[in-house]
Amino acid sequence: MPIPTPRPSTNPSAPPAATAVYLPRDVVNAPEVKAAIARRSAERGDDADMAAWLLNHFFRWAIGSFGNVLPVQSPADYLAAAGPDKPLPEWLAKQLLPRAPAVQDKDNKDKSKVGNTDPPAAEASSKTFYYLDPEHLLLVDRERMLVEFLRSRRGTRLEQKLQRITCFMAMALWEQEHQRMQAKRKKGWVPSSGLALKELLRTPNGVIFEFIGSHAALREEMAYESFHMQHCLGQFANLKKLNGGYGEQYASAAQSGRLRLFTLRSAGNLPHVTISLEVHADGLRVDQIKGKQNRHPVRKYADDVLQFLRTLPPRGERHSDCEGMGLVFEPETANDASSTTQGQWKFVTDVRSPDFLLSVMSGNFHLIEHFEQPPPALQWLLLRIAPHELARLRQMDVAVAAAARLTLPANRLPPSLQAASSEAPAAMMEIEGISLSAAVCAPLLGAASP
């Protein structure tokens, strides 16, 4: 079940995949990004060709086209992005210094003598730098998806010309493969005997079973899971022999004990969530948690997965699949932010630490709809970073609503604010001498009280 393709890059100049080229961008921590890619490759045990491809093609794509970067135009921007424990590099500090004013020509100098005698102010540096989090969840997901796809092409012509395959081409090939799989999924149906499953846990919506890696019916059960879930866990290249392709990787890992596979099934033996955990010397780690078509499992099954995570606890690490469905591991105290054992798995609405909640929600604003009354700080963050998600709010703080009307174009306001604005009176009011429309500050129907 490969990671679904993240949203396309927000870089407006990114060309289509067929003609795509690697774009230049001044990423201030590029060496750190490259080192992180190399470290993850070594931890996975990638062969030399795969490691070389990642350090060339994937690195260049990340630097030039990955959308989730932060602009750095001042020392404060750098510290906010990199953290206070990473001092501002001396070379970057020089680059961010205000530029000296441009030399005026003789006529302008003569005119300045008659008019303005003040010296021209220094100009801010017009060059924009960027900071890319080497461990960004979406970056790591995209990397793993590409490695998984390229590994599945071992023994084909694609493997022989790997170093000539750009990152854009690899992503386009993955999408084509995904579409083909969707069109042919009915041809790969295999009945479930249930012999390769053992019951692990009864949950509110069914039973969580573990696949038995040593059982002869393992691959048939994996193929059955993929047919219903429409993902690649049991998508084998050879449908008769059930080998090759994506399914071969998962079956081999499960048979060797490197991976543990689980499925949440309800009455009628219907799968709803597929879970894989990596087996390491220091414990279990979440590999993937997928709903149908590689989407995040729906809210209905979050409590089932939460019970699973608490029963068979993997390391308490942040993971995009967990956070995408609203499940997080919150350390016991703020000082234990790096702890993977002292804390608890919980649903995002139960997080206690405001800072941790903001950190999780900054990349998962779709979860805002689960909050009956979201904290004001969370609403302000939503307005600042993802105003298009304001429509998901059940209740909106009056101040946030007013700020949204003042800062957003009318066509970008959520429907509730557009309706309130059109129905509100056009009278004017003054606050400390500043004229404001009463419609801007009018509270929403059902809005949260300040």
Side-chain angles (χ1 to χ4, degrees):
M1 52 179 172
I3 299 296
T5 305
R7 292 180 179 177
S9 167
T10 56
N11 190 335
S13 60
T19 59
V21 295
Y22 297 119
L23 303 174
R25 188 164 58 181
D26 289 313
V27 175
V28 298
N29 63 324
E32 184 182 352
V33 174
K34 195 167 194 176
I37 294 173
R39 175 182 52 77
R40 290 193 293 265
S41 180
E43 290 176 350
R44 282 192 302 267
D46 294 340
D47 58 32
D49 281 350
M50 181 67 72
W53 187 89
L54 289 169
L55 293 177
N56 180 13
H57 293 288
F58 184 73
F59 169 71
R60 292 164 68 187
W61 171 84
I63 293 301
S65 299
F66 182 64
N68 295 272
V69 293
L70 298 174
V72 176
Q73 295 178 295
S74 68
D77 287 344
Y78 176 83
L79 293 176
D85 57 329
K86 294 184 179 178
L88 179 68
E90 184 177 346
W91 68 267
L92 181 58
K94 294 179 180 179
Q95 290 288 332
L96 296 177
L97 288 174
R99 298 183 305 170
V103 179
Q104 295 177 311
D105 58 34
K106 186 176 183 300
D107 291 340
N108 287 337
K109 288 181 179 179
D110 293 339
K111 291 176 183 177
S112 66
K113 292 178 182 178
V114 178
N116 182 16
T117 59
D118 294 333
E123 301 176 5
S125 174
S126 60
K127 190 172 184 180
T128 301
F129 296 90
Y130 298 91
Y131 182 88
L132 168 55
D133 180 0
E135 304 298 333
H136 195 287
L137 296 180
L138 295 181
L139 181 70
V140 174
D141 278 354
R142 179 65 66 94
E143 176 185 316
R144 183 168 58 177
M145 178 269 285
L146 289 171
V147 169
E148 188 176 74
F149 170 74
L150 293 173
R151 279 179 176 173
S152 72
R153 290 299 178 269
R154 285 174 176 166
T156 68
R157 288 181 296 176
L158 182 63
E159 181 184 22
Q160 299 172 6
K161 57 180 181 179
L162 177 62
Q163 303 309 324
R164 300 200 302 273
I165 302 296
T166 69
C167 196
F168 299 102
M169 294 166 63
M171 289 187 287
L173 289 170
W174 180 91
E175 179 62 27
Q176 293 172 12
E177 171 72 12
H178 183 69
Q179 294 300 328
R180 284 194 297 268
M181 184 204 73
Q182 291 294 87
K184 297 179 179 179
R185 65 179 183 269
K186 291 185 178 179
K187 297 180 180 179
W189 182 81
V190 175
S192 167
S193 65
L195 297 175
L197 299 176
K198 65 177 180 180
E199 182 177 326
L200 176 74
L201 180 68
R202 292 187 176 271
T203 65
N205 291 298
V207 178
I208 294 181
F209 296 94
E210 180 172 3
F211 290 77
I212 303 174
S214 59
H215 201 283
L218 170 67
R219 293 173 183 245
E220 286 86 349
E221 201 64 52
M222 290 172 58
Y224 175 86
E225 182 88 0
S226 281
F227 171 78
H228 286 281
M229 296 296 287
Q230 300 172 26
H231 57 45
C232 297
L233 175 73
Q235 189 68 26
F236 296 98
N238 188 317
L239 299 179
K240 292 183 178 180
K241 296 182 179 180
L242 296 180
N243 59 24
Y246 287 110
E248 185 65 40
Q249 300 178 58
Y250 293 105
S252 298
Q255 289 169 332
S256 66
R258 293 180 288 112
L259 199 68
R260 295 177 66 178
L261 303 174
F262 305 86
T263 175
L264 168 63
R265 297 188 180 180
S266 62
N269 199 26
L270 293 177
H272 298 286
V273 181
T274 308
I275 305 171
S276 59
L277 300 182
E278 296 175 346
V279 180
H280 293 267
D282 57 353
L284 300 172
R285 293 184 181 180
V286 175
D287 177 45
Q288 298 182 62
I289 300 178
K290 299 298 184 187
K292 290 189 175 180
Q293 296 180 337
N294 280 323
R295 299 191 180 105
H296 297 306
V298 298
R299 175 66 180 95
K300 176 181 178 180
Y301 302 114
D303 293 335
D304 303 78
V305 178
L306 179 59
Q307 186 177 342
F308 168 83
L309 293 173
R310 289 178 173 177
T311 303
L312 191 67
R315 288 170 61 91
E317 299 170 324
R318 296 189 61 176
H319 193 285
S320 59
D321 284 354
C322 297
E323 293 184 2
M325 66 180 302
L327 301 180
V328 298
F329 182 87
E330 183 180 18
E332 286 187 354
T333 66
N335 295 330
D336 293 333
S338 60
S339 173
T340 60
T341 57
Q342 303 300 316
Q344 187 180 40
W345 288 97
K346 58 183 64 176
F347 195 68
V348 66
T349 53
D350 297 322
V351 170
R352 295 174 301 172
S353 167
D355 291 339
F356 185 68
L357 177 62
L358 290 176
S359 176
V360 171
M361 292 297 296
S362 64
N364 298 280
F365 281 117
H366 63 282
L367 298 174
I368 198 83
E369 64 188 9
H370 299 304
F371 289 80
E372 186 67 32
Q373 186 171 332
L378 195 54
Q379 298 186 41
W380 283 110
L381 184 64
L382 186 69
L383 175 62
R384 174 66 180 86
I385 298 180
H388 57 281
E389 300 283 10
L390 286 170
R392 293 180 181 270
L393 287 171
R394 295 189 189 181
Q395 297 188 57
M396 190 180 299
D397 184 85
V398 175
V400 175
R405 292 194 184 101
L406 284 170
T407 58
L408 298 178
N411 61 355
R412 294 182 61 193
L413 290 172
S416 59
L417 285 183
Q418 293 180 11
S421 297
S422 61
E423 297 171 4
M428 301 298 293
M429 57 187 295
E430 284 194 359
I431 298 178
E432 296 186 358
I434 301 175
S435 296
L436 294 173
S437 169
V440 169
C441 298
L444 292 172
L445 182 63
S449 302

